Every structure is written in C-alpha cells, then in structure tokens.
Amino acid sequence: MADPCAAACRRTPLLIVGSRGRMGAMLLARAAAAGLNARGVDQPLTPAALAPACADAGLVLLCVPAAVVPATLAILTPHVPPSAVLADITSVKERPLRQMEEAWPGPVVGTHPLFGPKPDPSGPLPVAIVPGRRAPATALALVEGFYHALGFQTFRTTARTHDEAMARIQSMNFITNLAYFALLAGQDDLLPFLTPSFRRRRDAARKMLTEDAALFTGLFEANPHSYEAVRQYRQMLNLAAAGDVDLLCQRARWWWPEDGEERH
C-alpha cells in the first residue's frame, strides 16, 4: 500500500541546508534517488544563494551542527516562505528546537536519524520525530513522508525524552570510551599485553575518538542531560570499586534475555 505521507512529500519542494556535509549529502542523494523534488545549499550561505534556493520550499531541513544552528537561522529564515516547515537533524533536540521556534514563526519539527551517513542497509534505520509546539498534523506528515520516501522508519517522541536517551546512549558511549583510552594513553609497557577483546574495542572507538571527537564533544556539551548520565555511570563504578561486580553482572544481563534475543 502506498504511503500517503511519502506521496505528499513527493509533491513538495525540499531544501537541505548543509548539503555538502556528510549527513546532508547522504540525505540529498537518497532524495534524488527516490525521485523527490530536492535541492541543496551550503556555505557560503549568502542572500544571493539562499533567495532562489528557498523560493518555493515547502520543507527546509537543517543539516548543520547544533553549535551553529542559531547563526544559520539568522541568515536563513528571512528567505524561507511563510508556509514552509522548518526541521533539523541534530543529535540533541531541546535546545535546537527552542532556537528554531524562537527564530521561525511557522511550523517546526525536530528530527534525528539514529544512524550515520553510511547506514547499514541490513539494519534498522529509525528516525526520531519531535513535534514542535506549533506543528500541525500536516507538518508532521510532510516530515515523516520525507523519511519514509527515503526508506527510513520514524517514531515520535518528546525533546526531553530524546535528549535523556541520547545522553545515556550516545554521550555515554563517547565519554566512557574517551575516559578509558585517555586513562591508558602513554603506557608503552601495556603494549605486549593487548588482548583481542581490547583490540576490538580500540578499533571500534578509533573513528569516534579521532575523526569525530570534536563532533561528539559538541554533542556531549550541548545535551543538558549529559552530566547527569555521567553521575549515574559513576555510581556503577562505585559499585565495582566496592566489590559488587556480581550485582553489576546481573544488571547487565538485562540486555541478553534468557530466550536468546538481544533487546533492540
């Protein structure tokens, strides 16, 4: 059965702001492959570039880092048609959603694709959708239709629920790897003892802690719930320091139920 949301999106001109970034480029390429009326604009964001790009846009999607959302909005919004829906893809939602609603009087929808610019085609491709205060059902349908047309799945949540979850999933994954490898850095005497499990963890953390360190640092600092997540993690470390390792093992087994199916 055809998705009516995706069908409506196909009739709407779409603008991706930040179309040369990794996520913006991926979304623009998939939109073109899906036959959507999509175009992109990137730095320098001048009036001469924005005016024609925004002219008839029905959906304007910000694909820029959370730190530059306010500056981008100040340049962009004077050119956006009054009827357009403004959305973003940042990995935090409370602050960017508030900034967009302060800068734009029309409908605002926050989104977060929970995967990177090279998604695994065999895995789930979920996108969190966060309705803004002034977003009508038609605006939500348009944004969800965009992602459905690209082959992604969507679910709705609130900005606070999203950021609390990402503080524990995204921010803690980054900060615990960062602290662990910073702790062991410079200790050449450890090198003869490296085990396969350590090498697997090091390999998994390489890109995050080298190429993407600035990105994840910015997301950690932009998420108002990151520091509470660190405090909660410290409580788990305190249990380990007190010798309650069995208790931690019992809690950790929640991820692998006895029926053998991992939680996802």
Side-chain angles (χ1 to χ4, degrees):
M1 180 179 298
D3 184 337
C5 295
C9 182
R10 293 182 190 281
R11 299 189 296 269
T12 303
L14 312 170
L15 175 64
I16 293 178
V17 181
S19 58
R20 289 200 296 267
R22 287 183 294 177
M23 284 298 292
M26 181 271 289
L27 292 173
L28 184 58
R30 290 185 76 119
L36 302 185
N37 180 7
R39 55 181 175 268
V41 66
D42 213 308
Q43 297 290 349
L45 297 178
T46 63
L50 288 171
C54 293
D56 60 347
L59 171 60
V60 177
L61 184 63
L62 298 183
C63 297
V64 300
V68 302
V69 165
T72 303
L73 290 170
I75 301 169
L76 173 69
T77 53
H79 305 280
V80 177
S83 59
V85 178
L86 182 65
D88 77 312
I89 66 163
T90 60
S91 297
V92 289
K93 291 273 73 81
E94 289 181 270
R95 189 179 301 172
L97 199 64
R98 184 171 62 250
Q99 292 167 338
M100 287 192 294
E101 291 187 322
E102 289 173 352
W104 179 243
V108 169
V109 179
T111 83
H112 180 199
L114 295 166
F115 46 85
K118 297 180 179 180
D120 180 358
S122 64
L125 299 173
V127 179
I129 302 293
V130 181
R133 291 174 300 165
R134 300 185 300 269
T138 52
L140 294 172
L142 178 64
V143 174
E144 289 172 334
F146 167 72
Y147 285 114
H148 295 171
L150 271 55
F152 306 147
Q153 299 83 47
T154 61
F155 68 95
R156 296 185 187 183
T157 185
T158 67
R160 182 182 181 91
T161 297
H162 171 278
D163 284 4
E164 287 178 343
M166 295 315 298
R168 287 171 284 176
I169 297 293
Q170 186 180 63
S171 293
M172 288 307 300
N173 186 36
F174 168 66
I175 212 70
T176 55
N177 272 318
L178 179 64
Y180 180 65
F181 286 101
L183 170 68
L184 302 183
Q187 301 182 46
D188 289 343
D189 57 311
L190 296 179
L191 298 180
F193 298 94
L194 301 189
T195 62
S197 60
F198 177 90
R199 293 180 189 276
R200 287 194 295 271
R201 180 171 181 178
R202 183 187 60 181
D203 292 345
R206 178 192 300 273
K207 186 174 184 296
M208 174 183 289
L209 300 185
T210 55
E211 297 177 36
D212 297 334
L215 168 66
F216 282 103
T217 297
L219 294 174
F220 179 88
E221 294 173 344
N223 192 324
H225 305 283
S226 292
Y227 296 100
E228 176 57 28
V230 170
R231 287 189 285 270
Q232 293 174 359
Y233 183 71
R234 188 167 58 193
Q235 293 174 4
M236 298 296 102
L237 292 178
N238 288 339
L239 287 175
D244 292 327
V245 177
D246 286 343
L247 175 60
L248 291 175
C249 288
Q250 292 173 21
R251 288 178 60 91
R253 290 191 190 103
W254 176 87
W255 285 98
W256 300 275
E258 292 182 2
D259 61 12
E261 292 291 331
E262 292 185 356
R263 296 185 188 272
H264 55 81

